[in-house]
Amino acid sequence: MHNVTLIKGDGIGPAIVDTAVKIIDATGVEINWEQAEAGMGAYEKHGTPLPDTTVASIEKNRVAYKGPLTTPMGKGFRSINVELRKHFDLYANVRPARTWAGVTTPFKDIDIVVVRENTEGLYSGIEHYVGRDQRAAEAIKIITRDGCDRIIEYAFKYARDNNRKKVTVVHKANILKLTCGMFLEAGKEIAKNYPDIEYDQKIVDAVCMHMVTDPHQFDVIVTTNLFGDILSDLAAGLVGGLGLIPGANIGADAALFEAVHGSAPDIAGKNLANPSAVILAGIMMLNYLGETEAAARIQNALETVIEEGKQVTRDLNPDGVSTTAMGDAIIAAL
Ligand code: NAD
């Protein structure tokens, strides 16, 4: 029996997480889901977006499965996603994007894994006003050599363990010579320990262009926090949208699995959201828990349903079905 903290989240979160949990339970894997709250819903109910009981639950279980959490824009509380990643030191954010039979995309056979540093850099949101009249503000990007080393080491080890051929270190070291320069330096050094993996490095703006003109040159991409956030959405766009991209947040002794997308307020409450991304995050979690057979069964069932193209949500087929109907089709295909 595995103990997993379950956070359903905001917006489309409860609908897609309920669907995914039903599918995972249908495999017969024994998981004790310990429900906890976070995000806007928790804030409205308890006056805090991250109740202590939620942190305590993850501290105990060391594995969490979560739906997206809403973060207010420009004001209000800071991102609970960022806080959880920092609190549990979940330094590696692994975001795989690949094309699917049954989903029409501009390119075929794309298979890119973005490994994003998850605890430091500009995305940390360390900001303050400069001067008294609040007409200037500053964001601080802190990069440490230890932080660079461990994420780049993670990416190369991930590549080796998962039979990948190449790691591209993505940076902006021509302009950010100290911070991105340190990241690039760590990349060059660590690559020497992995002669079996091809090493490449590229500037982030060039990567954006190459990803939409020649995406097959990319295999594993490792990059800093903000660049990784942006590039993984770009990768999502290449393979059929955000509904298909999962994310694993991995630390030395804890892990949190979620979709890459957010709470999608524009389609919340309509039973329209694609549950695939959070299901794929569930597959990553099952593999992490050693439940590889159940993970493979769900993967096959999902591939069958998506390839058939009928019992899928409307982001994949305008004549498609609801979130729950897609979930039921996946269970039938298990
Ligand atoms: P979003 O990812 O929620 O939505 C972007 C677009 O993609 C929308 O048009 C939405 O309808 C569509 N989309 C997203 N998921 C989908 C799915 N499963 N099926 C079909 N279509 C889907 O991004 P946003 O609108 O910029 O952000 C909304 C909120 O989510 C914000 O508060 C943001 O902070 C939060 N957010 C949370 C996470 C997280 O919890 N990890 C990640 C990203 C954004």
Side-chain angles (χ1 to χ4, degrees), residues 255-279:
L256 184 154
F257 299 85
E258 62 183 347
V260 162
H261 62 71
S263 53
D266 51 338
I267 55 168
K270 297 182 180 159
N271 203 12
L272 282 178
N274 187 344
S276 303
V278 85
I279 294 168

PDB file of all heavy atoms in Angstrom, residues 255-279:
ATOM      1  N   ALA A 255       8.626  13.742  -3.854  1.00  0.00           N
ATOM      2  CA  ALA A 255       8.276  14.007  -5.253  1.00  0.00           C
ATOM      3  C   ALA A 255       6.822  14.435  -5.350  1.00  0.00           C
ATOM      4  O   ALA A 255       5.980  13.993  -4.560  1.00  0.00           O
ATOM      5  CB  ALA A 255       8.515  12.762  -6.101  1.00  0.00           C
ATOM      6  N   LEU A 256       6.558  15.297  -6.312  1.00  0.00           N
ATOM      7  CA  LEU A 256       5.204  15.807  -6.518  1.00  0.00           C
ATOM      8  C   LEU A 256       4.895  15.746  -8.012  1.00  0.00           C
ATOM      9  O   LEU A 256       5.681  16.217  -8.824  1.00  0.00           O
ATOM     10  CB  LEU A 256       5.148  17.242  -5.991  1.00  0.00           C
ATOM     11  CG  LEU A 256       3.825  17.977  -5.994  1.00  0.00           C
ATOM     12  CD1 LEU A 256       3.830  19.043  -4.893  1.00  0.00           C
ATOM     13  CD2 LEU A 256       3.543  18.657  -7.319  1.00  0.00           C
ATOM     14  N   PHE A 257       3.758  15.160  -8.341  1.00  0.00           N
ATOM     15  CA  PHE A 257       3.415  14.926  -9.747  1.00  0.00           C
ATOM     16  C   PHE A 257       2.180  15.742 -10.108  1.00  0.00           C
ATOM     17  O   PHE A 257       1.194  15.761  -9.359  1.00  0.00           O
ATOM     18  CB  PHE A 257       3.180  13.432  -9.971  1.00  0.00           C
ATOM     19  CG  PHE A 257       4.415  12.619  -9.655  1.00  0.00           C
ATOM     20  CD1 PHE A 257       4.680  12.208  -8.351  1.00  0.00           C
ATOM     21  CD2 PHE A 257       5.335  12.328 -10.646  1.00  0.00           C
ATOM     22  CE1 PHE A 257       5.840  11.506  -8.044  1.00  0.00           C
ATOM     23  CE2 PHE A 257       6.503  11.628 -10.353  1.00  0.00           C
ATOM     24  CZ  PHE A 257       6.748  11.207  -9.047  1.00  0.00           C
ATOM     25  N   GLU A 258       2.235  16.391 -11.276  1.00  0.00           N
ATOM     26  CA  GLU A 258       1.135  17.282 -11.673  1.00  0.00           C
ATOM     27  C   GLU A 258       1.155  17.457 -13.188  1.00  0.00           C
ATOM     28  O   GLU A 258       2.101  17.046 -13.854  1.00  0.00           O
ATOM     29  CB  GLU A 258       1.313  18.647 -10.995  1.00  0.00           C
ATOM     30  CG  GLU A 258       2.601  19.341 -11.412  1.00  0.00           C
ATOM     31  CD  GLU A 258       2.858  20.668 -10.720  1.00  0.00           C
ATOM     32  OE1 GLU A 258       1.944  21.219 -10.085  1.00  0.00           O
ATOM     33  OE2 GLU A 258       3.992  21.163 -10.836  1.00  0.00           O
ATOM     34  N   ALA A 259       0.113  18.101 -13.718  1.00  0.00           N
ATOM     35  CA  ALA A 259       0.125  18.498 -15.127  1.00  0.00           C
ATOM     36  C   ALA A 259       0.947  19.769 -15.243  1.00  0.00           C
ATOM     37  O   ALA A 259       1.137  20.488 -14.265  1.00  0.00           O
ATOM     38  CB  ALA A 259      -1.304  18.755 -15.593  1.00  0.00           C
ATOM     39  N   VAL A 260       1.426  20.062 -16.456  1.00  0.00           N
ATOM     40  CA  VAL A 260       2.146  21.323 -16.658  1.00  0.00           C
ATOM     41  C   VAL A 260       1.167  22.498 -16.709  1.00  0.00           C
ATOM     42  O   VAL A 260       1.470  23.601 -16.269  1.00  0.00           O
ATOM     43  CB  VAL A 260       2.994  21.241 -17.962  1.00  0.00           C
ATOM     44  CG1 VAL A 260       3.397  22.613 -18.456  1.00  0.00           C
ATOM     45  CG2 VAL A 260       4.237  20.391 -17.723  1.00  0.00           C
ATOM     46  N   HIS A 261      -0.041  22.231 -17.218  1.00  0.00           N
ATOM     47  CA  HIS A 261      -0.997  23.333 -17.401  1.00  0.00           C
ATOM     48  C   HIS A 261      -1.539  23.861 -16.066  1.00  0.00           C
ATOM     49  O   HIS A 261      -1.344  23.261 -15.007  1.00  0.00           O
ATOM     50  CB  HIS A 261      -2.154  22.902 -18.307  1.00  0.00           C
ATOM     51  CG  HIS A 261      -2.979  21.769 -17.758  1.00  0.00           C
ATOM     52  ND1 HIS A 261      -3.826  21.917 -16.691  1.00  0.00           N
ATOM     53  CD2 HIS A 261      -3.082  20.474 -18.137  1.00  0.00           C
ATOM     54  CE1 HIS A 261      -4.425  20.763 -16.437  1.00  0.00           C
ATOM     55  NE2 HIS A 261      -3.980  19.859 -17.290  1.00  0.00           N
ATOM     56  N   GLY A 262      -2.248  24.971 -16.154  1.00  0.00           N
ATOM     57  CA  GLY A 262      -2.824  25.599 -14.976  1.00  0.00           C
ATOM     58  C   GLY A 262      -4.288  25.227 -14.778  1.00  0.00           C
ATOM     59  O   GLY A 262      -4.770  24.228 -15.335  1.00  0.00           O
ATOM     60  N   SER A 263      -4.984  26.059 -14.006  1.00  0.00           N
ATOM     61  CA  SER A 263      -6.346  25.728 -13.583  1.00  0.00           C
ATOM     62  C   SER A 263      -7.397  26.052 -14.653  1.00  0.00           C
ATOM     63  O   SER A 263      -8.589  25.821 -14.447  1.00  0.00           O
ATOM     64  CB  SER A 263      -6.674  26.467 -12.285  1.00  0.00           C
ATOM     65  OG  SER A 263      -6.413  27.853 -12.449  1.00  0.00           O
ATOM     66  N   ALA A 264      -6.953  26.599 -15.789  1.00  0.00           N
ATOM     67  CA  ALA A 264      -7.807  26.866 -16.966  1.00  0.00           C
ATOM     68  C   ALA A 264      -9.176  27.426 -16.600  1.00  0.00           C
ATOM     69  O   ALA A 264     -10.205  26.801 -16.870  1.00  0.00           O
ATOM     70  CB  ALA A 264      -7.947  25.587 -17.808  1.00  0.00           C
ATOM     71  N   PRO A 265      -9.233  28.627 -16.004  1.00  0.00           N
ATOM     72  CA  PRO A 265     -10.530  29.170 -15.575  1.00  0.00           C
ATOM     73  C   PRO A 265     -11.529  29.306 -16.722  1.00  0.00           C
ATOM     74  O   PRO A 265     -12.743  29.247 -16.491  1.00  0.00           O
ATOM     75  CB  PRO A 265     -10.161  30.539 -14.971  1.00  0.00           C
ATOM     76  CG  PRO A 265      -8.755  30.804 -15.349  1.00  0.00           C
ATOM     77  CD  PRO A 265      -8.110  29.501 -15.661  1.00  0.00           C
ATOM     78  N   ASP A 266     -11.009  29.450 -17.956  1.00  0.00           N
ATOM     79  CA  ASP A 266     -11.931  29.627 -19.097  1.00  0.00           C
ATOM     80  C   ASP A 266     -12.783  28.388 -19.373  1.00  0.00           C
ATOM     81  O   ASP A 266     -13.843  28.492 -19.984  1.00  0.00           O
ATOM     82  CB  ASP A 266     -11.141  30.051 -20.369  1.00  0.00           C
ATOM     83  CG  ASP A 266      -9.938  29.159 -20.687  1.00  0.00           C
ATOM     84  OD1 ASP A 266      -9.421  28.482 -19.767  1.00  0.00           O
ATOM     85  OD2 ASP A 266      -9.515  29.130 -21.853  1.00  0.00           O
ATOM     86  N   ILE A 267     -12.328  27.205 -18.945  1.00  0.00           N
ATOM     87  CA  ILE A 267     -13.142  26.001 -19.212  1.00  0.00           C
ATOM     88  C   ILE A 267     -13.517  25.263 -17.919  1.00  0.00           C
ATOM     89  O   ILE A 267     -14.065  24.166 -17.968  1.00  0.00           O
ATOM     90  CB  ILE A 267     -12.428  25.033 -20.190  1.00  0.00           C
ATOM     91  CG1 ILE A 267     -11.018  24.660 -19.685  1.00  0.00           C
ATOM     92  CG2 ILE A 267     -12.358  25.609 -21.596  1.00  0.00           C
ATOM     93  CD1 ILE A 267     -10.404  23.492 -20.448  1.00  0.00           C
ATOM     94  N   ALA A 268     -13.235  25.895 -16.766  1.00  0.00           N
ATOM     95  CA  ALA A 268     -13.503  25.212 -15.483  1.00  0.00           C
ATOM     96  C   ALA A 268     -15.001  24.991 -15.282  1.00  0.00           C
ATOM     97  O   ALA A 268     -15.824  25.813 -15.703  1.00  0.00           O
ATOM     98  CB  ALA A 268     -12.946  26.054 -14.337  1.00  0.00           C
ATOM     99  N   GLY A 269     -15.347  23.873 -14.670  1.00  0.00           N
ATOM    100  CA  GLY A 269     -16.733  23.575 -14.323  1.00  0.00           C
ATOM    101  C   GLY A 269     -17.567  23.110 -15.508  1.00  0.00           C
ATOM    102  O   GLY A 269     -18.772  22.917 -15.394  1.00  0.00           O
ATOM    103  N   LYS A 270     -16.943  22.917 -16.679  1.00  0.00           N
ATOM    104  CA  LYS A 270     -17.715  22.555 -17.884  1.00  0.00           C
ATOM    105  C   LYS A 270     -17.509  21.105 -18.293  1.00  0.00           C
ATOM    106  O   LYS A 270     -18.032  20.674 -19.321  1.00  0.00           O
ATOM    107  CB  LYS A 270     -17.321  23.476 -19.043  1.00  0.00           C
ATOM    108  CG  LYS A 270     -17.666  24.941 -18.781  1.00  0.00           C
ATOM    109  CD  LYS A 270     -17.298  25.800 -19.988  1.00  0.00           C
ATOM    110  CE  LYS A 270     -17.637  27.260 -19.728  1.00  0.00           C
ATOM    111  NZ  LYS A 270     -16.900  28.169 -20.579  1.00  0.00           N
ATOM    112  N   ASN A 271     -16.706  20.360 -17.538  1.00  0.00           N
ATOM    113  CA  ASN A 271     -16.424  18.953 -17.869  1.00  0.00           C
ATOM    114  C   ASN A 271     -15.809  18.822 -19.267  1.00  0.00           C
ATOM    115  O   ASN A 271     -16.114  17.900 -20.003  1.00  0.00           O
ATOM    116  CB  ASN A 271     -17.723  18.121 -17.747  1.00  0.00           C
ATOM    117  CG  ASN A 271     -17.424  16.632 -17.514  1.00  0.00           C
ATOM    118  OD1 ASN A 271     -16.279  16.266 -17.227  1.00  0.00           O
ATOM    119  ND2 ASN A 271     -18.415  15.795 -17.656  1.00  0.00           N
ATOM    120  N   LEU A 272     -14.948  19.813 -19.610  1.00  0.00           N
ATOM    121  CA  LEU A 272     -14.361  19.858 -20.956  1.00  0.00           C
ATOM    122  C   LEU A 272     -12.868  19.561 -20.958  1.00  0.00           C
ATOM    123  O   LEU A 272     -12.295  19.249 -22.004  1.00  0.00           O
ATOM    124  CB  LEU A 272     -14.511  21.289 -21.529  1.00  0.00           C
ATOM    125  CG  LEU A 272     -15.841  21.729 -22.083  1.00  0.00           C
ATOM    126  CD1 LEU A 272     -15.744  23.184 -22.543  1.00  0.00           C
ATOM    127  CD2 LEU A 272     -16.226  20.842 -23.258  1.00  0.00           C
ATOM    128  N   ALA A 273     -12.219  19.705 -19.798  1.00  0.00           N
ATOM    129  CA  ALA A 273     -10.753  19.673 -19.767  1.00  0.00           C
ATOM    130  C   ALA A 273     -10.210  18.296 -20.119  1.00  0.00           C
ATOM    131  O   ALA A 273     -10.776  17.270 -19.748  1.00  0.00           O
ATOM    132  CB  ALA A 273     -10.262  20.072 -18.385  1.00  0.00           C
ATOM    133  N   ASN A 274      -9.096  18.303 -20.821  1.00  0.00           N
ATOM    134  CA  ASN A 274      -8.411  17.067 -21.164  1.00  0.00           C
ATOM    135  C   ASN A 274      -7.707  16.525 -19.906  1.00  0.00           C
ATOM    136  O   ASN A 274      -6.850  17.209 -19.339  1.00  0.00           O
ATOM    137  CB  ASN A 274      -7.380  17.387 -22.261  1.00  0.00           C
ATOM    138  CG  ASN A 274      -6.719  16.142 -22.810  1.00  0.00           C
ATOM    139  OD1 ASN A 274      -6.791  15.070 -22.208  1.00  0.00           O
ATOM    140  ND2 ASN A 274      -6.071  16.284 -23.944  1.00  0.00           N
ATOM    141  N   PRO A 275      -8.049  15.316 -19.486  1.00  0.00           N
ATOM    142  CA  PRO A 275      -7.414  14.783 -18.281  1.00  0.00           C
ATOM    143  C   PRO A 275      -6.049  14.140 -18.549  1.00  0.00           C
ATOM    144  O   PRO A 275      -5.373  13.684 -17.624  1.00  0.00           O
ATOM    145  CB  PRO A 275      -8.418  13.709 -17.822  1.00  0.00           C
ATOM    146  CG  PRO A 275      -9.036  13.218 -19.099  1.00  0.00           C
ATOM    147  CD  PRO A 275      -9.068  14.398 -20.043  1.00  0.00           C
ATOM    148  N   SER A 276      -5.622  14.084 -19.829  1.00  0.00           N
ATOM    149  CA  SER A 276      -4.427  13.296 -20.189  1.00  0.00           C
ATOM    150  C   SER A 276      -3.168  13.744 -19.453  1.00  0.00           C
ATOM    151  O   SER A 276      -2.371  12.904 -19.012  1.00  0.00           O
ATOM    152  CB  SER A 276      -4.165  13.367 -21.693  1.00  0.00           C
ATOM    153  OG  SER A 276      -5.289  12.926 -22.396  1.00  0.00           O
ATOM    154  N   ALA A 277      -2.969  15.060 -19.326  1.00  0.00           N
ATOM    155  CA  ALA A 277      -1.719  15.528 -18.714  1.00  0.00           C
ATOM    156  C   ALA A 277      -1.608  15.040 -17.273  1.00  0.00           C
ATOM    157  O   ALA A 277      -0.551  14.561 -16.837  1.00  0.00           O
ATOM    158  CB  ALA A 277      -1.649  17.056 -18.768  1.00  0.00           C
ATOM    159  N   VAL A 278      -2.705  15.130 -16.551  1.00  0.00           N
ATOM    160  CA  VAL A 278      -2.630  14.704 -15.148  1.00  0.00           C
ATOM    161  C   VAL A 278      -2.586  13.161 -15.065  1.00  0.00           C
ATOM    162  O   VAL A 278      -1.945  12.603 -14.169  1.00  0.00           O
ATOM    163  CB  VAL A 278      -3.752  15.375 -14.310  1.00  0.00           C
ATOM    164  CG1 VAL A 278      -5.054  14.627 -14.358  1.00  0.00           C
ATOM    165  CG2 VAL A 278      -3.311  15.595 -12.879  1.00  0.00           C
ATOM    166  N   ILE A 279      -3.191  12.492 -16.038  1.00  0.00           N
ATOM    167  CA  ILE A 279      -3.074  11.019 -16.092  1.00  0.00           C
ATOM    168  C   ILE A 279      -1.613  10.643 -16.362  1.00  0.00           C
ATOM    169  O   ILE A 279      -1.050   9.734 -15.726  1.00  0.00           O
ATOM    170  CB  ILE A 279      -3.995  10.428 -17.191  1.00  0.00           C
ATOM    171  CG1 ILE A 279      -5.467  10.667 -16.826  1.00  0.00           C
ATOM    172  CG2 ILE A 279      -3.723   8.944 -17.403  1.00  0.00           C
ATOM    173  CD1 ILE A 279      -6.449  10.383 -17.956  1.00  0.00           C
TER     174      ILE A 279
END
